[in-house]
Each structure stands twice: as structure tokens, then as C-alpha cells.
Amino acid sequence: MSRPGPQDPDLVELAGRLRQLSGLTGKTDIQSPAATFRHQPFPALGPAAALGDDAALLPAVATPLLLASEGLDPALVAADPWFAGWCGVLVNLSDIAAMGGTPIAVVNSLWCRSASRAEPILAGLRRASEVFGVPVVGGHTNLHSPYDALAVAVLGTAAGPVLSARAARPGDHCHLLIDPNGGFRGDSLCWDAATEADPARLRRQLALMADLAADGSVHAAKDISMGGLVGTAAMVCEAAGCGLTLDLGAIQPPAGVALEPWLTCFPSFGFLLAARPDQEGRLAERVAGCGGLLLARIGTFTAERRLVLAAGGQQQEIWRGEAPLTGFGALP
């Protein structure tokens, strides 16, 4: 047995320090998601596809991919952590669906001040993953953070045609496709049409956008985001380089809901669609076959780059193309 040299460390002291290394002890934070999510989301791929490796192994696909990511509003994380976890999955699934895609897998990054604060967020993530049938396959967890925060990303496939907001053209009809069931979540402007709904119906709704893309009844779309219907309409106009006059009389809120919150809320399932006028009948037929959704033609895209609200013979401009909104304008 060799004797320690003058430069050799004291093994007992070294081991003691290494046992307390934050990079080691911090890994116990992963026990929370490990106890929450199914460890082998794709059993056919074998042990290498199980959670816990450096990256997620996913099934091969032969189509282009879609990748979406959302950071959740810190106020929502603080006020309604379960719903924040649920929304972390839902909003990304909607973004994939908006482009005519099909989701494959979810990853998340979670920072919390303790395991108890992370528990409802993880439970919301798990429930949405189960309801929509899209597995959580990895992520990052820190339960010693000075704040609580959540970010989620979803990978999907785009069999095509891809629905891009940039594809809207003057003369296209603008349709609102939305789930009017449910109600506002607490005092927030989050319209909850999903947490108590039949999972089979929610999955049919999520798959509808890819079906509309495949049969050509819609050629452009955008998910209604936290900017609400009006903010989303402005983003569509900016991306497509065109304009839109929204007919407020055609936008009918659910019973008991005022128009303004309906124009500004974040819906569980809501899209603005661009379709040629000759597709209106087929579009209505496809949506009716899905069940439970409201489809309304709320305007026509125009060549002049501006968003206008129209009601009672009056008009008010909300946005004009000369003033960038997101900065992602129409391509030259």
C-alpha cells in the first residue's frame, strides 16, 4: 500500500467536502420531477429513452419539426401554480397546433424556493401531459431558487402544409375558432375551457388544426396568445404585411361575458384563421364535426397594413404597419 505523499490530500477531509458539494447535493432536487412523470415515455426505444439521461431520445420522424417555448407569467405562477403548470403545456401545444402540427414531447425548466412550492406546478404539468397524451421527457429543476419560475417547450411534427401567419393575404376571410365552454379562472383573464373537459374532446380539438391544414380549408393561422384576440390579430397583420377590419358585431362572447374581456383574454383553445372565401363551407363542416367549438367569420384581410375595430357604423384604428409591433414583419 502506498503512503500519502506531501501533495496528496487528506482523503477523509476531501470526501467530506465533496459530499457537501452543491453540484452534488443539488441533484436531489430532481427527485421531485422523478416522482411525478413516467420514467419511460417511449418504451419501444429501450432503456436509453428513459428519463434521467443528458437528453431525451425521441422516435424518428420523416417530416419537418416544430419547436415552441413559453415562459409563464410570474404572477400566474405565484397566484395559481397548478394552473401555471397546466398552461405551460397547453400554450405550447396550441402553438404547435396553430401551425398545423402534432406534438411529440414536452420539456420544462422549473425554479422554485422549495419542493412544496414546486409540487402543484409539477402536478399541473403532469395532468396536462396525461390529458393531451404528450409526455414530459426531461428538463431542469432547481428547488433552491430565490424565486419561482417556469418555462416549458414542446417539440412537434409538421406533416404539412404548414400554417403560417405570414400566409394570410388580402381577400382572405378571417375566422375566429374558439372554445366558448367554461369560464374565467378566478380573477384572471385566463378563459378555462379545458381543465374540467373530457380529455377525448380536448385531443380531438388539438388535432383539428392539422386536419384543416391537410385538407386546405385553412392556409394561415395563429394561436390567440396573452395579447388576446386583438393583440393576436395585430401580430397576424404585421407578419403577413396586410390589414384587417374586425367586425365586433360578429364576435359573440359566451352568455354573461362582456365584449372587452372576451377580446383581451387568453383562451384555452382559440385561433385566428385565414381561409379563402370558397373554403368557408368546408371549414364550417370540419369544425362542426369536431364538436363544442365556435367558428365565426369576423373580418376580411385587406391590402392596407392596419388593424381596425368596426362597430355601429364607427371605426377605430388599433395598429398601423408603420409602427412595428413585434418587429417580425412581412418578408421582402
Side-chain angles (χ1 to χ4, degrees):
M1 180 181 297
S2 61
R3 296 183 177 182
Q7 302 302 317
D8 290 333
D10 183 303
L11 192 56
V12 174
E13 292 184 2
L14 175 61
R17 291 193 296 272
L18 293 178
R19 291 189 195 102
Q20 301 305 314
L21 188 69
S22 62
L24 176 63
T25 61
K27 299 304 181 185
T28 60
D29 290 355
I30 303 173
Q31 292 176 20
S32 292
T36 301
F37 303 114
R38 189 158 55 99
H39 287 196
Q40 199 155 23
F42 301 108
L45 298 182
L51 273 61
D53 257 311
D54 288 332
L57 180 64
L58 305 179
V61 295
T63 65
L65 298 174
L66 297 168
L67 182 62
S69 177
E70 293 278 354
L72 276 293
D73 184 347
L76 179 62
V77 174
D80 199 345
W82 186 94
F83 191 60
W86 168 277
C87 287
V89 174
L90 178 62
V91 296
N92 281 288
L93 297 184
S94 294
D95 285 341
I96 297 296
M99 298 190 71
T102 301
I104 300 174
V106 178
V107 294
N108 72 87
S109 292
L110 176 63
W111 295 263
C112 277
R113 285 170 280 177
S114 67
S116 62
R117 299 183 76 91
E119 184 177 353
I121 300 174
L122 290 169
L125 283 163
R126 179 186 62 206
R127 179 57 181 161
S129 169
E130 292 170 347
V131 164
F132 290 98
V134 185
V136 174
V137 297
H140 168 84
T141 304
N142 182 337
L143 301 184
H144 295 81
S145 168
Y147 53 82
D148 299 332
L150 174 68
V152 180
V154 173
L155 183 70
T157 61
V162 173
L163 301 177
S164 168
R166 297 183 185 279
R169 292 291 179 266
D172 288 344
H173 286 172
C174 179
H175 298 268
L176 169 64
L177 177 63
I178 198 164
D179 190 341
N181 302 287
F184 284 109
R185 179 91 175 183
D187 296 327
S188 73
L189 280 175
C190 292
W191 182 260
D192 181 11
T195 58
E196 301 298 326
D198 173 34
R201 178 170 71 85
L202 295 177
R203 293 188 192 193
R204 286 197 305 272
Q205 291 179 355
L206 190 67
L208 175 63
M209 295 297 293
D211 293 340
L212 297 179
D215 74 3
S217 53
V218 169
H219 60 266
K222 194 165 184 66
D223 169 50
I224 298 177
S225 65
M226 292 300 289
L229 190 160
V230 171
T232 301
M235 288 191 286
V236 172
C237 291
E238 182 182 38
C242 59
L244 176 63
T245 297
L246 290 175
D247 177 8
L248 296 187
I251 302 173
Q252 298 296 317
V257 177
L259 178 62
E260 184 171 346
W262 193 238
L263 293 175
T264 56
C265 75
F266 167 69
S268 292
F269 181 96
F271 300 88
L272 293 182
L273 313 176
R276 297 189 308 275
D278 62 0
Q279 293 298 321
E280 188 163 345
R282 180 158 64 161
L283 173 59
E285 182 180 346
R286 295 301 302 272
V287 171
C290 189
L293 298 176
L294 173 66
L295 178 72
R297 178 158 65 90
I298 59 174
T300 301
F301 288 98
T302 63
E304 188 176 6
R305 295 186 303 148
R306 65 185 194 132
L307 176 66
V308 175
L309 301 184
Q314 300 181 21
Q315 292 191 346
Q316 284 291 320
E317 185 176 277
I318 298 295
W319 172 84
R320 180 173 285 273
E322 289 80 2
L325 183 62
T326 67
F328 290 113
L331 298 176

